[in-house]
Amino acid sequence: MSDRRRNGTRDRLIRVATGLFRRRGVAGVGVGEICAGAQVTKGVFSHHFPGGKDELVVAVVDRNGADVSGQLAAFGSGDAADSVQALFRAYASAMRLKGSDFGCPVAAAVVDGAASTSPTISAANLAFDRWRVILGERLGDDDMGALVVAALEGAILLARAEKDPATLERVGDALAQLIEPATRSAG
C-alpha cells in the first residue's frame, strides 16, 4: 500500500472522528461508528491507531490544534479588536453552516472525563497554549490571549446550549469592545 493511500485513510479517520467529537463528545462516539463513517474496518482502524481510540483522540486534538493555530495566525492582520471580532464571527458562520451542535473537539476531549487521559490532556494543553500565544502576540499581552481563548470556548458552549450562533457574535463584539482600549493604550 502506498504512503499516500495509507495517510489518506488515517486522515479520513481523523476527519470523521473530528466531526463526530465536535457534535457528540468523545465518549458519545464509538470506534465502530468512526470506522463506518470512514468506510474502513476495525482492523484498518487498529493498523492506523494501534493505541486505539485514545491514540485517535490525541491525533484529533493535535490536528485541530494545528488547524486552528493556522486560522488564528490569519486573523493577525489589521486592528486587534477587529481581528478578535472576526474570529468569533467566523466561528458563528461555521456554526450556521454546519449546525448549532458544532463544537470544539479539543474542548470535547478535555471536558469528557472518559477521554481525559494524560496524553489527551497534554495534547489539549499544547493546542490551547499555542492559541493563547498566537493571540497574545497579536494583542500584545499573553493574558489577553488567554482571555480570548477562554471567551471563545465559553461562547461556543453557550451558543450550542442556546442553539444560537449569534451568541458567539455578541460575545465577540463585547470582547472586542474591552480589548480595543487595552490594545490602544499598550500600543
Side-chain angles (χ1 to χ4, degrees):
M1 181 184 320
S2 73
D3 281 344
R4 183 175 27 226
R5 188 166 148 208
R6 184 175 301 128
N7 290 337
T9 301
R10 181 179 170 81
D11 289 344
R12 192 167 62 249
L13 284 161
I14 292 170
R15 188 177 63 252
V16 166
T18 299
L20 291 168
F21 295 166
R22 280 185 184 281
R23 288 172 176 16
R24 298 207 324 264
V26 175
V29 178
V31 170
E33 186 175 5
I34 295 165
C35 291
Q39 300 179 332
V40 300
T41 65
K42 286 185 180 180
V44 169
F45 173 87
S46 295
H47 171 76
H48 290 284
F49 297 99
K53 186 176 174 184
D54 289 344
E55 183 179 345
L56 173 64
V57 172
V58 171
V60 166
V61 169
D62 287 345
R63 172 79 52 85
N64 186 255
D67 290 348
V68 171
S69 292
Q71 292 166 359
L72 291 175
F75 284 107
S77 60
D79 178 76
D82 290 343
S83 295
V84 167
Q85 197 173 32
L87 171 64
F88 281 72
R89 289 187 177 281
Y91 206 100
S93 293
M95 190 177 269
R96 282 188 184 95
L97 180 67
K98 297 177 187 227
S100 63
D101 62 347
F102 186 74
C104 173
V106 177
V110 172
V111 170
D112 192 338
S116 297
T117 65
S118 183
T120 300
I121 295 300
S122 294
N125 277 333
L126 181 60
F128 287 139
D129 191 53
R130 284 181 183 156
W131 302 349
R132 180 192 51 75
V133 167
I134 291 167
L135 290 164
E137 288 173 355
R138 176 69 191 106
L139 298 169
D141 184 336
D142 195 51
D143 290 338
M144 292 292 268
L147 175 64
V148 173
V149 172
L152 179 61
E153 291 296 341
I156 292 167
L157 288 174
L158 286 173
R160 288 184 72 185
E162 296 170 358
K163 297 192 182 315
D164 185 7
T167 299
L168 280 148
E169 294 164 338
R170 288 190 300 274
V171 172
D173 291 349
L175 190 57
Q177 288 177 7
L178 294 172
I179 287 172
E180 201 269 327
T183 57
R184 185 176 41 223
S185 66

